[in-house]
């Protein structure tokens, strides 16, 4: 079983990934953020570093999908924090449409993505955490990564629009949308139970 948690920056993916991995006693795969050599520079100067960052994330995410594939052969359950689909369909697409990545770099990137994607298995369940801008801003501030102070509201807004469009057309497997605006699974165990019940119901038809 492989559940992938997707959603905008600060929606609560990492927090929920860790909690679900603990609950189900499954393996968790997190994003390559702390050791990412481009992320801080990217937020300082997006046009300069957009392509470098996308190639870095694409490679890191592809490597992760291959590790997940191997682990699945052992029947171990897996929780994945963000997917390779989001790199291309959300972030790279947004950078291109916002004029922050040149057409030449975007087409080069897409060529790479399209070569890789046929080797990627979709998750059994894609869990989309839907969050409005105030919730995202509040949680990004709460997390306090210095370089994310530069993130503009418009950037988050455009990412949310890309998410909604991508999710509306998602057809690679089961999909569960959870509105997290009024959920606090950090402090309220009942809110975590709500999410776990929805997952069990979507995957196994329980509840
Ligand atoms: N549903 C929630 N309610 C309250 N706080 C949350 C919730 N989800 C996440 N947080 C807090 O918001 C911050 C960002 O969450 P995080 O899981 O890192 O988001 P993401 O991985 O989607 O970027 C963290 O400080 C986390 O403790
Ligand atoms: N593909 C990406 N392009 C640009 N930025 C990205 C990409 N993937 C992740 N990010 C950023 C967004 C955040 O600042 C960090 C970690 O993501 P988070 O949603 O907080 O887990 O990396």
């Amino acid at each position: 079983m492989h559940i992938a948690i997707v959603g905008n920056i600060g929606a609560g993916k990492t927090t929920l990934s860790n909690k679900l991995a603990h609950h189900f006693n499954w393996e968790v795969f997190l994003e390559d953020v702390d050791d990412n050599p481009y992320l801080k520079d990217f937020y300082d100067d997006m046009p300069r570093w957009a392509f470098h960052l996308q190639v870095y994330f694409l490679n890191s995410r592809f490597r992760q999908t291959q590790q997940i594939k191997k682990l699945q052969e052992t029947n171990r359950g897996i929780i994945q924090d963000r997917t390779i689909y989001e790199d291309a369909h959300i972030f790279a697409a947004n950078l291109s449409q916002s004029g922050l990545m040149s057409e030449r770099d975007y087409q080069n990137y897409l060529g790479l993505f399209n070569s890789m994607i046929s080797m990627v298995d979709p998750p059994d369940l894609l869990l989309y955490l839907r969050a409005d801008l105030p919730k995202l801003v509040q949680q990004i501030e709460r997390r306090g990564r210095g370089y994310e102070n530069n993130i503009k509201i418009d950037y988050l807004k455009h990412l949310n629009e890309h998410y909604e469009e991508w999710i509306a057309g998602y057809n690679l497997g089961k999909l569960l949308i959870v509105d997290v605006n009024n959920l606090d699974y950090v402090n309220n165990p009942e809110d975590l139970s709500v999410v776990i019940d929805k997952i069990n119901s979507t995957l196994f038809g329980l509840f």
Side-chain angles (χ1 to χ4, degrees), residues 132-156:
D132 294 336
L133 295 175
K135 177 84 170 173
L136 295 174
V137 170
Q138 181 196 46
Q139 296 194 164
I140 290 169
E141 281 174 2
R142 181 177 304 161
R143 179 169 57 200
R145 281 186 197 134
Y147 51 80
E148 290 181 343
N149 291 340
N150 287 351
I151 295 179
K152 303 267 185 301
I153 297 284
D154 256 12
Y155 183 68
L156 294 174

Side-chain angles (χ1 to χ4, degrees), residues 8 10-15 135 139 142-143 183-186:
N8 207 338
K13 300 177 300 300
T14 306
T15 308
K135 177 84 170 173
Q139 296 194 164
R142 181 177 304 161
R143 179 169 57 200
L183 287 185
D184 181 350
Y185 40 69
V186 174

